[in-house]
Amino acid sequence: MNMKTFKSFILSIFVVGLFSCTKDFIDINKDPNAITANQASAKYFLTVPQYKLYAPDNFPYWRAMLIHADRFAGYFTFGDNYSWWSDELAYKYDPAYTDATWDFFDGYFGQLDNYMKLTAPKGVFANKYMYAVGQVMKGLYFQMYTETFGEIPYTQVGDSSIVLPAYDTQQTIYKGIIADLNAAMATIGDSTRTGQGIQDLGSNDLYCNGDLQKWKKLANTLKLRIGMRALGSPGDDFATTTITEALSKDLLSTDADNVLMQKDNVISKWNSDSYAGAWLDFGGFGSGGGWTISKPMIDNLRNYKDPRLVKFAKPAIGGTFKFSKPKEGSDNTLWPKRVAFLLKTLDDAKAVYTKTGNEQTDTVITITMPANVNYVGQPVRLNGFMSPLIRREFFCTPTDYFVVKKGTTSNIYPEIVLTTAEAYFLKAEAIVRGVGGASGDANTTFQDGIRRSMKMWGCADGDIETYIASSDLANISSGSMDQKIEKIATQRWINSFTEGFEGWAVVRKLGYPLELANGVSDPDIYGLGDTNGKYPERMIYGSSAKSKNAANLAVAVSRQGPDAEDTKLWFSQP
């Protein structure tokens, strides 16, 4: 059963009163189109929680993923001449956009909780293997949720007797996730399927196609990620043990192990969206809702001759553009400085272009850029006064792979759940840091991670090996620990392209790429936001949290620190 028919299935189940009494299954046979008792299974309740976590409907996909996570991660930028917003958007608190993200996370759990209650020991469809899958998914969800806001309700969530759940510390949440992952892996053991026939998750499992051993590797790799994320944080008393345990068992290791959610190519964006929903529905390249790819991303790809560059980005479309100096005010005074900033951006990218006129002495300059030649990334966090100079035609935009219209091709990008490449990068970092149980050659492990990442993104074998043999960003055989960690972090960050929540967490924890982590400082060029230019460490709690559960939220804020974007979360504190 695919997602397109899922709604009709749920309606059939609802009509016959599945949740009210299982004896009523016999009545289903009166409807030739209904699901019979021997056809009913919890497998049909897994698909929606899976795709809703990584590819929800248009509203959260646009506001939670693209506006916040992908931009905080430094993948995409607004603020060009077409954009409806400056690139300060989200760095300056806006309750409408923030609430959309909070409400997405806060409202998600019920869907997964239904599946877990159905498969629990006393559930209607009790199945310990299906329940173990739910435990791993619960870990994926809460890890993303807590790393976005910090302290959140966790231990009391899902308890119907508790209306206003308490907020838990990140230490508590991480430990709880690890306990669930351990339990799930113990349950799975050597088993390969959740059952036979209707009891087999099969294709209804969008992550692992019902392969329990892949789920086990996913669980163990997630455990390693959380251990590495917690390592060295204040009062950390579990990370080293967690890492050592994870490294002693199977991790995601082959190309086939990548956990990627193939997107449904047919159903409406109001059910499950993609970047195309935002890109095309607002008008495409020249629309106010379009975006460019960031300077840090393009620089790290172009400068090191990374074959993923052409997979991620189109070259600048180019053209001839005339810019006139504003007639008065600060825009007039700052025009030479702002033009110089634009020219330096183009020069640093070694872009081919010509300029006529002098920004210091003339009131008009003209810039001509050849079509489809230059790979230039747009600087992040530009203020609204820069937009007249920031022509979208000067900068890279996403390839059609990411913004192709649904239904026009089967080649539509998948959502990243957890990749094999990350497992290698995590292990390489553990080796570099000397964590107990981390063995092997760090450089070999690191380079294997690069290979896996590039293969995942469709790069040719020859291009991959050329890059590994020649690129300084692909070698950690020498240098200080910090220099090695910078390269590992940068490769992890590149590998997570389009999965902004994880990319953002990498920057916060490891501090790279520096251009992002260091923030911005010049208000003539950049929008400093509510953090005075500092890198955002979290999102502000949603309005519903403040109105519905204010007392428990106040306790969390008193422990964690001010409800502000620049309050460091536990995992990213030194």
Side-chain angles (χ1 to χ4, degrees):
M1 180 178 294
N2 59 33
M3 287 188 277
K4 189 176 181 181
T5 59
F6 187 80
K7 283 187 175 179
S8 61
F9 173 81
I10 292 296
L11 181 59
S12 298
I13 294 295
F14 178 79
V15 169
V16 301
L18 171 64
F19 293 109
S20 61
C21 187
T22 56
K23 66 182 178 62
D24 291 339
F25 277 137
I26 193 170
D27 294 330
I28 300 176
N29 292 317
K30 297 176 182 178
D31 181 357
N33 296 315
I35 303 298
T36 62
N38 61 358
Q39 292 175 319
S41 168
K43 67 187 290 183
Y44 300 118
F45 293 85
L46 177 66
T47 307
V48 168
Q50 286 192 331
Y51 78 75
K52 285 293 187 183
L53 184 57
Y54 289 95
D57 63 80
N58 178 263
F59 195 66
Y61 203 99
W62 173 244
R63 297 193 173 201
M65 277 68 171
L66 180 58
I67 287 179
H68 283 101
D70 289 322
R71 291 180 55 254
F72 286 171
Y75 294 151
F76 301 128
T77 44
F78 296 151
D80 59 67
N81 64 299
Y82 294 115
S83 184
W84 288 326
W85 310 284
S86 80
D87 207 40
E88 191 176 18
L89 178 68
Y91 295 91
K92 193 172 184 63
Y93 174 65
D94 185 312
Y97 295 115
T98 298
D99 285 356
T101 308
W102 173 264
D103 293 343
F104 159 63
F105 279 112
D106 184 48
Y108 168 82
F109 183 68
Q111 301 168 90
L112 177 59
D113 193 44
N114 285 337
Y115 167 82
M116 295 187 71
K117 283 183 167 64
L118 286 170
T119 57
K122 295 183 179 180
V124 174
F125 299 121
N127 182 311
K128 66 179 182 179
Y129 298 118
M130 289 187 181
Y131 185 79
V133 166
Q135 288 177 303
V136 182
M137 281 196 58
K138 182 180 174 184
L140 290 166
Y141 158 64
F142 274 109
Q143 180 237 324
M144 198 187 308
Y145 189 3
T146 186
E147 290 175 4
T148 301
F149 295 97
E151 296 195 12
I152 54 172
Y154 174 71
T155 55
Q156 296 180 350
V157 170
D159 186 336
S160 59
S161 68
I162 299 176
V163 178
L164 300 175
Y167 282 61
D168 294 288
T169 66
Q170 283 203 303
Q171 297 100 311
T172 298
I173 297 166
Y174 283 155
K175 288 179 180 180
I177 293 172
I178 292 165
D180 275 345
L181 296 175
N182 286 338
M185 289 187 285
T187 296
I188 291 170
D190 295 328
S191 300
T192 58
R193 311 299 297 184
T194 55
Q196 295 183 344
I198 201 66
Q199 297 304 316
D200 182 8
L201 285 177
S203 61
N204 288 80
D205 172 8
L206 303 179
Y207 296 177
C208 301
N209 200 37
D211 182 346
L212 284 179
Q213 289 306 303
K214 188 170 180 178
W215 273 104
K216 191 174 179 180
K217 291 179 182 180
L218 167 59
N220 195 43
T221 305
L222 179 59
K223 178 179 174 178
L224 177 59
R225 173 197 277 179
I226 292 173
M228 292 300 295
R229 189 139 296 156
L231 185 67
S233 297
D236 159 36
D237 61 356
F238 65 93
T240 298
T241 299
T242 300
I243 296 164
T244 302
E245 289 177 353
L247 290 173
S248 70
K249 295 183 174 66
D250 288 342
L251 300 164
L252 300 172
S253 60
T254 68
D255 295 334
D257 284 343
N258 282 313
V259 185
L260 307 174
M261 191 189 79
Q262 297 300 320
K263 301 169 76 72
D264 190 289
N265 203 19
V266 179
I267 62 176
S268 165
K269 68 173 185 174
W270 300 113
N271 195 334
S272 178
D273 206 4
S274 66
Y275 288 129
W279 181 268
L280 297 175
D281 290 357
F282 291 120
F285 178 90
S287 75
W291 60 91
T292 59
I293 299 181
S294 79
K295 181 178 182 294
M297 176 57 74
I298 297 300
D299 285 355
N300 276 290
L301 298 174
R302 182 199 60 241
N303 292 350
Y304 295 95
K305 298 180 173 55
D306 192 315
R308 288 169 292 192
L309 175 63
V310 297
K311 304 295 181 180
F312 292 177
K314 287 182 177 180
I317 196 171
T320 298
F321 304 98
K322 182 182 293 185
F323 301 97
S324 299
K325 185 176 184 177
K327 293 183 178 180
E328 58 187 6
S330 60
D331 287 342
N332 172 280
T333 303
L334 292 171
W335 194 68
K337 177 180 179 179
R338 289 170 174 163
V339 171
F341 175 84
L342 169 61
L343 297 176
K344 185 177 187 305
T345 300
L346 300 180
D347 291 339
D348 287 348
K350 296 180 172 56
V352 177
Y353 71 95
T354 59
K355 183 193 74 159
T356 59
N358 186 311
E359 64 274 13
Q360 298 293 336
T361 58
D362 298 333
T363 58
V364 175
I365 65 166
T366 301
I367 297 177
T368 298
M369 178 183 284
N372 305 318
V373 169
N374 296 306
Y375 282 92
V376 185
Q378 182 180 315
V380 300
R381 303 178 68 170
L382 297 178
N383 65 34
F385 302 109
M386 289 293 297
S387 62
L389 291 167
I390 306 301
R391 295 291 316 191
R392 189 171 293 174
E393 290 86 351
F394 291 163
F395 303 101
C396 291
T397 50
T399 59
D400 291 344
Y401 181 57
F402 297 106
V403 295
V404 66
K405 184 178 180 181
K406 277 188 174 184
T408 60
T409 176
S410 60
N411 185 30
I412 182 171
Y413 75 100
E415 298 288 347
I416 291 174
V417 178
L418 217 162
T419 69
T420 294
E422 183 174 348
Y424 284 97
F425 295 143
L426 289 166
K427 184 177 179 181
E429 182 188 346
I431 295 170
V432 168
R433 294 191 185 279
V435 180
S439 61
D441 182 75
N443 192 51
T444 299
T445 305
F446 173 60
Q447 292 181 339
D448 282 343
I450 295 172
R451 286 187 180 91
R452 298 300 179 189
S453 176
M454 290 185 171
K455 280 181 172 291
M456 183 185 76
W457 287 112
C459 301
D461 288 344
D463 293 337
I464 295 171
E465 295 309 317
T466 297
Y467 176 84
I468 288 175
S470 61
S471 175
D472 182 61
L473 195 54
N475 192 311
I476 58 169
S477 60
S478 62
S480 67
M481 179 184 290
D482 285 346
Q483 289 170 329
K484 293 175 181 180
I485 295 300
E486 178 175 6
K487 293 176 184 180
I488 294 170
T490 302
Q491 291 290 355
R492 277 188 67 191
W493 174 77
I494 294 171
N495 177 66
S496 294
F497 185 65
T498 70
E499 213 302 82
F501 287 107
E502 183 59 23
W504 178 28
V506 169
V507 180
R508 285 177 288 165
K509 177 65 179 183
L510 299 178
Y512 301 104
L514 280 173
E515 187 173 353
L516 293 170
N518 286 345
V520 296
S521 59
D522 186 348
D524 296 339
I525 304 294
Y526 301 102
L528 304 188
D530 294 330
T531 64
N532 196 30
K534 290 188 290 186
Y535 189 68
E537 299 289 341
R538 59 180 296 274
M539 288 182 63
I540 293 171
Y541 290 115
S543 298
S544 62
K546 299 168 186 175
S547 62
K548 296 178 182 178
N549 197 2
N552 284 321
L553 176 59
V555 173
V557 171
S558 70
R559 285 191 302 246
Q560 181 168 275
D563 186 18
E565 279 191 358
D566 59 348
T567 295
K568 277 187 175 287
L569 300 183
W570 178 78
F571 81 83
S572 61
Q573 293 175 13

